[in-house]
Amino acid sequence: MLRRTRTKLLRLFIAISFCLVSLQTGDAAEAHHAMVASEGAEASQIGLDVIEHGGNAVDAAVAVALALGVTNSASCGIGGGGFMLIYWAKDHKLYALDYRETAPKAASADMYFRNGKPVEELARTGALAVAVPGELAGLDAALRRFGTMPFSSLVAPAVKLAREGFVLSPHMARDIAFSASQIVKDPGFRAQFFDAAGAPLKAGARVRAPGLAALMDGLGDQPVERFYHGATAAQIAAFIKASGGILTTDDLANYRPVWREPIHLRYRGYDLYTMPPPSSGGIVLEMFGMIAPGHTEGLGLNSPAYLAQLIEIMRQGFVDRDRYGDPAFVKVPVAELLSPAHLSEARQQALHHLTVPNIASARDHGTSNFCIVDKAGNVVDVTTTINTIFGAKIMVPEAGLILNDEMDDFAVAPGVPNAFKLVQSQTNAIAPGKRPLSSMSPLIALRGRAPAMVVGASGGPTIITGVLQVGLNILDFGLSPEAAVSAPRIHEQSQPPTVFTEAAMPATTIGALRQMGYPIKVVPELGAVSAIRITPGMLDGAFDPSKGGGAVGN
Ligand code: DON
């Protein structure tokens, strides 16, 4: 914990020094045409290569997502699903693509009850936890609408990484070690991530995923036809059935991504756009909206007074998150929740908390966010996930396909917290074909008609508060993205009544918050955020130091 805190402080210092240096030297003009910020160094470079070879930001996003699914398979992959927010320069419009997983047809509100009691673990580990993957259907839909390159050419770099091997990052190595006792039992995981003696591979080891390479290579230019139908679909469904799950070939064949209307809020001269439900983007907007005009002025970044206001705003946002769910099943009053009347009422409602319950938040990082800007000025912001680390912790044998545990994002039972300690309402109860409510909230800010900032995060509910804080750091405090993602963050989600604070937050600030009566729990880190700031002729991007990866540009 101390090492990571030190790393974060060091990175903050380097970020600030780097900003000064690059301002002084004017830095290379070529670094301002296109940029990819992701949690994987290879994936970022693959995305930039696509753009250099004439592809656009959507082409690059497809290649990056597929590559991350190999190198960062603890976080995301074709066994999961996500959200893609696009700013399309030609028409200055925003587009939102929802390729979130859905509950299988045989799912039901009480499917995780045994002998009248909820068994939460069934929603997190094993075949019953698996929701219908949306990743490939989503990438295909994005490519068909906005792409210029064939799928086969965009999957090729990921196939190469899986076949020839990639170097295990420190973050993935930690994820493997953390989940070792669960995944070592699965022969697929054991072959890929453990040595002959059964010890988890360490950072720097070379990892190959031959089964996944073959599966992806076989997708050709028909990823939907070849994954959701035919032999692969049959193989996935047979494995799930044999393992006690309910997902069928019909579920796979019936999966559809959805183009949705992005939602919007005006904030201090910016137009903020994000994903609508079943994303929690509206909650991020609501939190921005609760910050009254001039609210942050004069308070100072991360001053106790500023943080106290954020805590109250965050908590109220999470209270309102209870009204969110899949819009195909419940009416989510987004416009009402973002109305000036509600924002002003919500601002009044904050109360201080009194006790610190002895509970730990789930370890983050079963999700991945990346941001891309291309030479034409198109912007893509993707958050994609298999939910918790290594998803359901099962792998379809031979196919090397790691399956999500997205069912845990539903309210498994009234009053029962999920892996991220979210206690959710009836609006997010399980139903066949329903999408579970997500915290994933990619956000693009426009100034006038031009994009000014793109930001997104991983980390369960800390996505919402991470996007808010990094957004404020850039838009209100003028920090560079690198300094903005490195600055220590806080998180409050209403339940549990605890304010989580990154260990890198100065002790005096933590002390001041405690004195105000806030129940503080110090944690090593809160999620991982990526961001690019866009100003005319200049792109400035960063990926959170807590997860490795980085931004590359030309
Ligand atoms: O969609 C959601 O809200 C969760 N499945 C996200 C999980 C996550 O971010 C895991 N941690 N990084």
Side-chain angles (χ1 to χ4, degrees):
M1 169 157 139
L2 193 62
R3 197 169 56 84
R4 269 194 236 154
T5 306
R6 249 190 277 135
T7 310
K8 201 148 188 172
L9 287 170
L10 188 65
R11 287 289 299 254
L12 180 61
F13 174 73
I14 292 170
I16 291 166
S17 322
F18 178 78
C19 284
L20 295 176
V21 170
S22 59
L23 284 177
Q24 280 161 12
T25 59
D27 224 341
E30 271 206 355
H32 307 303
H33 296 140
M35 184 163 276
V36 182
S38 88
E39 68 179 58
E42 297 102 327
S44 293
Q45 193 53 50
I46 284 168
L48 198 62
D49 288 347
V50 167
I51 293 172
E52 276 174 0
H53 286 91
N56 64 28
V58 172
D59 295 316
V62 172
V64 171
L66 292 164
L68 285 173
V70 175
T71 59
N72 295 50
S73 60
S75 296
C76 60
I78 60 176
F83 297 137
M84 185 183 292
L85 187 65
I86 302 169
Y87 167 82
W88 199 239
K90 215 183 262 171
D91 59 11
H92 301 284
K93 276 203 185 134
L94 275 291
Y95 297 84
L97 179 61
D98 169 350
Y99 47 103
R100 179 80 166 152
E101 300 92 326
T102 53
K105 198 163 162 235
S108 60
D110 60 357
M111 65 185 278
Y112 297 115
F113 279 75
R114 298 291 179 272
N115 303 319
K117 288 206 182 102
V119 184
E120 301 101 283
E121 199 47 37
L122 291 174
R124 290 174 205 161
T125 311
L128 212 53
V130 182
V132 188
E135 185 84 358
L136 277 173
L139 298 181
D140 179 69
L143 199 60
R144 282 177 194 279
R145 185 158 182 186
F146 291 104
T148 64
M149 292 182 154
F151 183 88
S152 53
S153 71
L154 300 172
V155 77
V159 171
K160 189 165 186 273
L161 282 169
R163 188 166 283 148
E164 294 176 11
F166 59 92
V167 177
L168 196 62
S169 70
H171 191 274
M172 263 282 281
R174 280 203 298 274
D175 282 347
I176 296 165
F178 181 80
S179 323
S181 63
Q182 283 173 292
I183 58 175
V184 72
K185 293 179 241 156
D186 181 293
F189 278 109
R190 164 111 194 199
Q192 202 171 320
F193 296 121
F194 294 80
D195 66 17
L201 294 182
K202 296 214 162 57
R206 199 155 191 88
V207 177
R208 287 182 184 78
L212 186 60
L215 169 60
M216 290 193 298
D217 204 15
L219 296 172
D221 285 317
Q222 283 98 36
V224 172
E225 191 52 38
R226 300 207 180 146
F227 182 85
Y228 292 89
H229 305 268
T232 301
Q235 189 186 6
I236 297 169
F239 169 70
I240 289 189
K241 187 168 183 197
S243 315
I246 54 173
L247 192 154
T248 64
T249 50
D250 275 356
D251 288 318
L252 289 163
N254 291 332
Y255 182 82
R256 298 285 180 276
V258 184
W259 287 100
R260 299 189 187 277
E261 200 51 45
I263 51 174
H264 162 258
L265 185 84
R266 185 103 180 124
Y267 177 76
R268 300 184 132 203
Y270 294 95
D271 287 292
L272 306 182
Y273 287 91
T274 185
M275 283 298 298
S279 155
S280 295
I283 300 305
V284 177
L285 294 189
E286 193 178 334
M287 289 176 181
F288 271 104
M290 276 187 255
I291 296 171
H295 208 67
T296 52
E297 232 93 83
L299 287 181
L301 173 62
N302 283 354
S303 65
Y306 169 72
L307 293 175
Q309 291 186 358
L310 282 191
I311 291 164
E312 295 168 3
I313 283 162
M314 288 172 182
R315 193 179 41 145
Q316 184 56 36
F318 273 95
V319 168
D320 285 339
R321 189 177 181 274
D322 263 4
R323 299 173 70 181
Y324 273 56
D326 181 343
F329 288 74
V330 290
K331 187 172 165 10
V332 187
V334 178
E336 182 200 320
L337 292 173
L338 293 179
S339 67
H342 179 78
L343 292 176
S344 139
E345 191 188 318
R347 211 179 284 135
Q348 315 298 325
Q349 278 178 7
L351 294 169
H352 287 194
H353 310 133
L354 297 172
T355 52
V356 192
N358 184 21
I359 79 161
S361 66
R363 191 170 180 273
D364 291 330
H365 301 317
T367 298
S368 195
N369 191 85
F370 61 87
C371 303
I372 302 181
V373 182
D374 71 16
K375 293 172 184 167
N378 300 310
V379 180
V380 175
D381 193 357
V382 170
T383 318
T384 177
T385 188
I386 52 173
N387 197 25
T388 55
I389 298 168
F390 289 118
K393 291 156 187 77
I394 50 174
M395 195 189 269
V396 181
E398 275 123 59
L401 178 68
I402 299 172
L403 293 164
N404 71 80
D405 63 334
E406 224 68 56
M407 291 300 286
D408 189 60
D409 273 343
F410 282 115
V412 163
V416 173
N418 75 358
F420 300 100
K421 309 297 171 201
L422 288 167
V423 181
Q424 310 189 79
S425 73
Q426 202 48 35
T427 58
N428 191 30
I430 302 169
K434 192 172 175 183
R435 285 160 150 85
L437 176 56
S438 174
S439 295
M440 300 189 293
S441 309
L443 182 101
I444 295 177
L446 303 193
R447 182 136 206 149
R449 296 173 84 193
M453 177 191 76
V454 46
V455 56
S458 62
T462 70
I463 292 171
I464 298 171
T465 51
V467 168
L468 172 74
Q469 286 169 94
V470 172
L472 290 169
N473 290 352
I474 295 174
L475 299 181
D476 282 31
F477 293 99
L479 259 52
S480 73
E482 193 160 15
V485 301
S486 299
R489 293 188 287 272
I490 57 164
H491 173 73
E492 149 78 65
Q493 62 181 47
S494 169
Q495 292 186 62
T498 302
V499 177
F500 296 95
T501 311
E502 284 191 330
M505 190 67 80
T508 46
T509 310
I510 294 176
L513 290 174
R514 283 205 168 108
Q515 283 229 313
M516 289 178 189
Y518 288 113
I520 305 286
K521 185 172 171 89
V522 178
V523 293
E525 62 203 17
L526 290 164
V529 187
S530 49
I532 301 177
R533 181 172 58 183
I534 307 155
T535 43
M538 166 100 172
L539 297 171
D540 194 0
F543 195 90
D544 204 307
S546 64
K547 215 176 176 183
V552 290
N554 66 17

